[in-house]
Amino acid sequence: MPTVLDDSLLDDPDRLAHADVAGLLRAGAMAGAQVRSTVEAAAELEFGERLDIGRPRALVLLAREGVSRAAAHLLEALLGASCPVPVVVSDVVPGWVGTLDVVAGHIDDGEDPELAASLERAARYGATIVLSAAKDGPVASAVAGRGLLISPRVQVPAELALPRALAAGLLVANTLGLLVADLESVADQLDGEAERNHPGHESFVSPAKALALRVAERTPLLWGLDRPALMVGEHGAHVFAAHAATVCDVADYRQAMARPALLRAAITGTSERDIFADPEDDPMPAAPPRVLLLAVRSGPTADATRYRAEQLLPGADVLAPAGEIEAAEPARAAVLALRFEMAAIYLGLATGTIGGAGYAPTRA
């Protein structure tokens, strides 16, 4: 939906602080702390020893509402086709789960009765269960004494809990030998991204503020050049909707190429508009598209895909953390996700869709 941006607010830290009554910018900047606190909580649970079960028959990732879904799909994408065990993403625990399987996920709603029932059944059948969830409620009770529960130590709004959710999933994958992810590096890179997007930085310095300005009064087309980037794009659409009431299109780049009408609009939208054109003969849509090409992976194949996309859409914005930071794929994905979160908050504050005395976010 079109939005009217008060861009002067973005470069006024005092006004930003006054508008951000819920402390969303501060909560977003705690992404690195979420990762570190999750690692600490897992260590106190003797996570490595209790999850030392060898290679499972299958890894089931729970995808419920909120960031749970983004975390599950992003972890699945990071594991990739080379993962030595089947990875199943499901909204509840499948009925076939048993003693040889591992169930993991991040849960926002600790009162979810449907999920609690499926977890209780999985625990009864001997499955290994790891949850990032609140320590109270039916979900936690369903696995009490029969699973590993990593409860939050850094409280943030539910829509900003992806770093904690992803950290818990990466810990599971690391411990099972399915992935090698340096969580300290992930936390450090998130700290760096938060610093780059500090409210005191001007818009031409802050990547998140610049992104907010680029998508204001536009329809963002978040097109992933690889699967992890696509999953980050889905999270980006979630936070833009949550904070800025902005609707995004999310698609794999190759799938986007198969939609002729939107592709033509995207190509037109990324071209320089003729200032002498008659708007009656060539009207622009109320919220013209803005193409954002997203990339997490790097290498010859990824670079070739990006080159082709940029040739077709020369005016598109390319968000590729690999060109900005030296980090592995999990950290790049986390940084890109945080940039979307901060951009959505800045856009929401500057357009008035969030902020003010009447606004209260949900809590994880």
Side-chain angles (χ1 to χ4, degrees):
M1 63 182 290
T3 55
V4 179
L5 183 76
D6 178 7
D7 56 1
S8 65
L9 181 140
L10 295 182
D11 289 329
D12 190 330
D14 290 337
R15 289 179 62 204
L16 274 173
H18 181 74
D20 188 17
V21 292
L24 295 179
L25 291 173
R26 180 182 292 275
M30 297 174 72
Q34 287 190 61
V35 173
R36 292 190 182 90
S37 66
T38 299
V39 173
E40 292 170 359
E44 291 182 11
L45 291 172
E46 299 180 336
F47 194 87
E49 293 79 4
R50 295 176 64 182
L51 204 59
D52 184 16
I53 59 173
R55 183 164 292 174
R57 179 180 63 172
L59 173 62
V60 176
L61 301 176
L62 296 172
R64 300 299 285 182
E65 68 281 355
V67 302
S68 172
R69 187 169 302 278
H73 285 287
L74 178 54
L75 181 58
E76 178 197 26
L78 290 170
L79 287 166
S82 61
C83 182
V85 304
V87 179
V88 178
V89 178
S90 177
D91 58 347
V92 295
V93 184
W96 50 260
V97 163
T99 57
L100 301 178
D101 305 306
V102 173
V103 177
H106 170 83
I107 309 302
D108 285 335
D109 181 8
E111 304 294 324
D112 188 333
E114 180 186 25
L115 178 63
S118 72
L119 285 168
E120 195 281 331
R121 183 182 66 250
R124 190 170 65 250
Y125 291 168
T128 300
I129 302 173
V130 183
L131 293 183
S132 164
K135 61 183 179 181
D136 299 317
V139 169
S141 298
V143 298
R146 296 179 290 183
L148 290 165
L149 183 68
I150 306 175
S151 55
R153 295 186 172 186
V154 176
Q155 299 293 333
V156 297
E159 61 271 19
L160 297 178
L162 181 64
R164 170 162 65 90
L166 181 59
L170 290 173
L171 281 170
V172 172
N174 277 353
T175 305
L176 295 175
L178 307 180
L179 186 69
V180 177
D182 183 346
L183 286 166
E184 186 59 35
S185 173
V186 173
D188 289 343
Q189 295 295 346
L190 287 172
D191 286 344
E193 180 66 15
E195 171 54 32
R196 287 187 287 272
N197 295 312
H198 190 279
H201 294 330
E202 295 180 331
S203 298
F204 63 86
V205 174
S206 164
K209 289 183 180 181
L211 179 56
L213 289 171
R214 292 293 286 168
V215 302
E217 302 179 353
R218 294 276 190 152
T219 300
L221 309 182
L222 309 182
W223 291 354
L225 299 179
D226 54 68
R227 185 160 175 77
L230 175 62
M231 297 303 103
V232 174
E234 290 191 354
H235 179 63
H238 174 69
V239 292
F240 271 126
H243 297 302
T246 296
V247 177
C248 304
D249 174 69
V250 183
D252 177 271
Y253 167 73
R254 290 170 292 274
Q255 182 69 15
M257 296 301 98
R259 301 180 297 178
L262 185 57
L263 179 59
R264 285 195 297 270
I267 293 173
T268 302
T270 59
S271 304
E272 291 295 331
R273 186 166 172 79
D274 184 355
I275 62 174
F276 299 107
D278 185 345
E280 293 186 1
D281 295 333
D282 185 22
M284 287 289 284
R290 170 78 71 194
V291 179
L292 303 175
L293 297 174
L294 315 179
V296 168
R297 290 182 172 148
S298 61
T301 301
D303 293 344
T305 301
R306 175 174 168 178
Y307 176 78
R308 289 193 298 271
E310 289 183 292
Q311 289 294 107
L312 178 63
L313 300 162
D317 293 278
V318 179
L319 302 184
E324 305 173 29
I325 60 175
E326 293 186 8
E329 288 182 9
R332 294 178 206 162
V335 164
L336 186 55
L338 178 58
R339 186 167 303 176
F340 276 123
E341 291 174 358
M342 300 294 282
I345 294 170
Y346 280 125
L347 183 59
L349 292 172
T351 56
T353 56
I354 57 174
Y359 176 77
T362 57
R363 290 278 160 182

